[in-house]
């Protein structure tokens, strides 16, 4: 339910970016922070909440995540302006971070071998069901009640999740002394925030401007301080020794770039359907739906297959299918038919279903049993960094291309489509990077 809620929220918010920008009278560059602020808070707290899950009873930690998520979702509905919405989204993100940081470690601990692959596949399928439900339900809510209503379904679901978390998850934990790298956490947060702010605002401020240079320096300095500190202390926020494992390192890069690939399409397709094709939010949601249906159908089979035969084949097939889908998306224009949109979305969903659970299985099984919690946290970091970078890079590129073409006197529709195609081209590059890392990272057969 935790992963389902996370995907339900992100898929509905992606669909709502355009109406949120209109409703709050803000630009597309500004509205991206509704997604980025959420993902930033979620990501930087993953190591902290992952460590809490190893020290305190999992039922209390995980159940609390649902409660905080429910509070944030309810507050989102009442946000009077853009900045208040960002604060409430950050509260919601704290709850999501607790759930995401602890979810994969629980699965990896309870299941082994083929069963682990099946469990991860089922989990990926439920994530896809969340993505499938989000556009359909969110589109209807936006169309009939406005964008604020999209957060309401998460509230009762999160409360049910809190009850089940407190009731069903283990309440006993071996007592450990709590040690947390607060200084490293500060370094990590500053470096990540500076990097994301530079990426998202570079085209507005100018890539050679003093602000961007300062942000670049902050990223390098605090990133370096974080690395050197956590390489030496014996209670690091991130255990860098694990990156000596080829499957773990390149597998995480593959996961990160896979999400960058998916978010290129996930952010731009709703804009294309609403601005260029002039479809309402409900119809836009229905046209995005086949992606999640295809992913949810394929994921369990892919997870089970990787548990039996290893992850290499499917983690190569998945990115290849991503690339084929994005090539189709680069051909979209004002005369694109609905069946073409559905077909491209289905192909993209098949690629996602093939890749995610086998890659997660390979990464988790590449480390020792006592490192499963740490590996789970880093895997979640990679996934969410991919989300953040995917949103920031996609909107930055698209806005830069579109504004430059409009300044050159090109009509808006043509400028939009050209920018859409060029940005999808960068999505293809992300897909090729994912493919290359997958080819290098994954062995024929993973062992426990």
């Amino acid at each position: 339910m935790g992963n389902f809620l996370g995907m339900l929220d992100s898929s509905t918010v992606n669909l709502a970016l355009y109406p949120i920008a209109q409703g709050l009278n803000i630009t597309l560059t500004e509205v991206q922070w509704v997604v980025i602020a959420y993902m930033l808070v979620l990501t930087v707290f993953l190591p902290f909440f992952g460590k809490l899950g190893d020290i305190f009873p999992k039922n209390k930690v995980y159940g609390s995540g649902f409660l905080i998520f429910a509070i944030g979702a309810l507050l989102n509905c009442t946000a009077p302006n853009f900045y208040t919405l960002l604060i409430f989204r950050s509260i919601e993100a704290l709850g999501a971070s607790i759930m995401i940081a602890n979810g994969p470690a629980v699965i990896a601990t309870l299941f082994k071998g083929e069963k682990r692959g099946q469990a991860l596949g089922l989990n990926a399928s439920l994530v896809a069901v969340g993505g499938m439900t989000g556009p359909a339900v969110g589109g209807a809510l936006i169309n009939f009640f406005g964008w604020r209503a999209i957060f309401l379904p998460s509230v009762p679901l999160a409360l049910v999740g809190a009850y089940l978390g407190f009731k069903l998850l283990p309440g006993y934990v071996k007592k450990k002394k709590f040690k947390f790298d607060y200084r490293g956490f500060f370094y990590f947060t500053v470096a990540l925030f500076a990097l994301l702010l530079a990426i998202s605002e570079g085209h507005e401020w100018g890539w050679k401007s003093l602000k961007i240079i300062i942000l670049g320096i902050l990223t390098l300095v605090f990133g370096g301080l974080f690395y050197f500190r956590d390489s030496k202390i014996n209670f690091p926020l991130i255990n860098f020794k694990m990156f000596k494992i080829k499957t773990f390192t390149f597998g995480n890069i593959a996961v990160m770039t896979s999400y960058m690939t998916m978010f290129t399409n996930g952010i731009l397709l709703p804009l294309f359907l609403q601005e260029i094709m002039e479809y309402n939010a409900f119809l836009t949601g229905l046209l995005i739906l086949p992606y999640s249906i295809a992913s949810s159908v394929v994921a369990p089979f892919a997870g089970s297959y990787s548990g039996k035969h290893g992850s290499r084949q499917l983690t190569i097939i998945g990115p290849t299918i991503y690339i084929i889908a994005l090539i189709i998306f680069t051909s979209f224009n004002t005369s694109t038919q609905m069946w073409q949109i559905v077909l491209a979305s289905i192909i993209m969903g098949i690629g996602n279903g093939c890749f995610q659970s086998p890659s997660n299985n390979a990464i988790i099984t590449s480390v020792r049993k006592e490192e499963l919690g740490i590996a789970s946290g880093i895997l979640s970091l990679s996934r969410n960094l991919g989300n953040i970078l995917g949103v920031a890079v996609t909107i930055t590129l698209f806005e830069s291309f579109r504004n430059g073409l409009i300044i050159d006197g090109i009509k808006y529709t043509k400028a939009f489509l050209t920018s859409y195609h060029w940005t999808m081209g960068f999505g293809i590059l992300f897909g090729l990077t994912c493919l290359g890392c997958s080819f290098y990272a994954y062995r024929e057969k993973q062992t426990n």
Side-chain angles (χ1 to χ4, degrees):
M1 284 196 70
N3 283 282
F4 171 83
L5 273 175
M7 192 63 196
L8 177 73
D9 180 88
S10 63
S11 59
T12 52
V13 171
N14 286 346
L15 182 67
L17 288 180
Y18 181 63
I20 289 174
Q22 287 187 315
L24 297 179
N25 195 27
I26 54 177
T27 66
L28 190 58
T29 303
E30 290 173 317
V31 80
Q32 70 176 312
W33 282 94
V34 174
V35 175
I36 291 179
Y38 176 88
M39 296 307 304
L40 178 60
V41 172
L42 187 156
T43 302
V44 298
F45 279 98
L46 282 171
F48 177 71
F49 290 131
K51 196 166 186 77
L52 285 185
D54 287 336
I55 295 171
F56 298 104
K58 290 198 183 317
N59 62 337
K60 292 182 180 178
V61 174
Y62 204 74
S64 298
F66 279 107
L67 289 177
I68 296 170
F69 189 90
I71 292 169
L74 185 60
L75 289 172
N76 286 335
C77 304
T78 68
N81 54 56
F82 173 58
Y83 297 103
T84 310
L85 179 61
L86 293 186
I87 293 171
F88 294 160
R89 284 283 286 167
S90 297
I91 294 172
E92 187 183 26
L94 286 173
S97 186
I98 295 173
M99 296 185 290
I100 291 173
N102 290 281
V106 173
I107 294 174
T109 301
L110 295 176
F111 299 96
K112 310 235 176 343
E114 182 183 345
K115 293 290 186 182
R116 180 185 288 161
Q118 290 174 345
L120 288 168
L122 177 60
N123 187 58
S125 180
L126 290 173
V127 170
V129 171
M132 174 176 64
T133 308
V137 175
L141 289 172
I142 293 168
N143 203 50
F144 295 110
F145 303 105
W147 64 265
R148 296 177 189 278
I150 64 170
F151 300 105
L152 285 175
S154 296
V155 178
L157 290 174
L159 292 175
V160 171
Y163 171 77
L164 294 175
F166 286 125
K167 184 177 176 62
L168 298 178
L169 290 182
Y172 170 78
V173 69
K174 199 175 191 180
K175 288 191 177 180
K176 299 177 184 177
K177 187 176 179 182
F178 181 71
K179 296 179 78 175
F180 183 73
D181 181 18
Y182 294 101
R183 192 185 300 177
F185 175 70
F186 174 74
Y187 295 156
F188 176 76
T189 303
V190 173
L192 183 60
F193 184 82
L195 173 65
L196 293 171
L197 186 59
I199 291 172
S200 63
E201 300 294 340
H203 71 288
E204 288 284 332
W205 296 343
W207 293 104
K208 296 180 181 179
S209 67
L210 182 60
K211 291 180 182 178
I212 296 299
I213 293 171
I214 291 173
L215 288 172
I217 293 171
L218 286 174
T219 301
L220 292 173
V221 170
F222 282 93
L225 288 171
F226 172 69
Y227 173 77
F228 288 118
R229 176 174 173 79
D230 272 37
S231 297
K232 294 178 180 179
I233 63 174
N234 41 352
F235 54 99
L237 193 68
I238 295 176
N239 185 1
F240 286 101
K241 292 179 181 178
M242 297 175 67
F243 288 97
K244 293 179 180 178
I245 303 170
K246 180 185 74 171
T247 301
F248 185 80
T249 301
F250 286 91
N252 273 287
I253 296 172
V255 167
M256 183 180 73
T257 51
S258 76
Y259 275 82
M260 293 178 71
T261 305
M262 287 188 295
F263 264 71
T264 303
N265 174 64
I267 291 293
L268 292 186
L269 184 59
L271 293 176
F272 167 79
L273 295 177
Q274 291 176 92
E275 278 209 54
I276 301 302
M277 303 305 290
E278 298 183 350
Y279 296 149
N280 62 37
F282 180 62
L283 181 56
T284 297
L286 291 179
L287 289 173
I288 296 171
L289 190 60
Y291 162 83
S292 298
I293 294 175
S295 185
S296 65
V297 169
V298 172
F301 297 102
S304 181
Y305 182 91
S306 69
K308 288 181 182 178
H309 306 291
S311 301
R312 181 176 175 81
Q313 291 180 337
L314 289 176
T315 51
I316 290 173
I317 292 171
T320 303
I321 296 175
Y322 287 153
I323 294 166
I324 293 170
L326 287 175
I327 290 172
I328 297 174
F329 282 119
T330 59
S331 68
F332 281 12
N333 53 47
T334 53
S335 60
T336 297
Q337 301 297 308
M338 285 189 184
W339 70 265
Q340 293 172 297
I341 299 167
V342 171
L343 176 62
S345 295
I346 289 173
I347 294 172
M348 196 76 173
I350 292 172
N352 185 51
C354 285
F355 179 79
Q356 294 303 329
S357 50
S359 64
N360 291 349
N361 191 24
I363 291 167
I364 289 292
T365 54
S366 70
V367 303
R368 295 176 298 172
K369 184 177 180 180
E370 57 268 27
E371 295 175 325
L372 286 174
I374 300 172
S376 173
I378 294 175
L379 175 59
S380 297
L381 276 173
S382 299
R383 187 163 50 241
N384 288 289
L385 279 172
N387 288 344
I388 297 170
L389 291 172
V391 173
V393 171
T394 295
I395 292 187
T396 298
L397 288 171
F398 176 77
E399 287 271 270
S400 298
F401 292 146
R402 188 187 62 182
N403 293 343
L405 290 169
I406 290 173
I407 289 172
D408 291 339
I410 297 175
K411 289 184 179 179
Y412 181 82
T413 299
K414 186 176 180 181
F416 184 104
L417 288 173
T418 303
S419 305
Y420 177 79
H421 297 154
W422 288 353
T423 309
M424 284 291 181
F426 278 85
I428 292 172
L429 291 179
F430 302 148
L432 289 170
T433 305
C434 177
L435 177 61
C437 291
S438 299
F439 188 83
Y440 183 71
Y442 302 120
R443 299 187 295 273
E444 286 294 337
K445 175 69 178 174
Q446 298 293 324
T447 55
N448 294 330

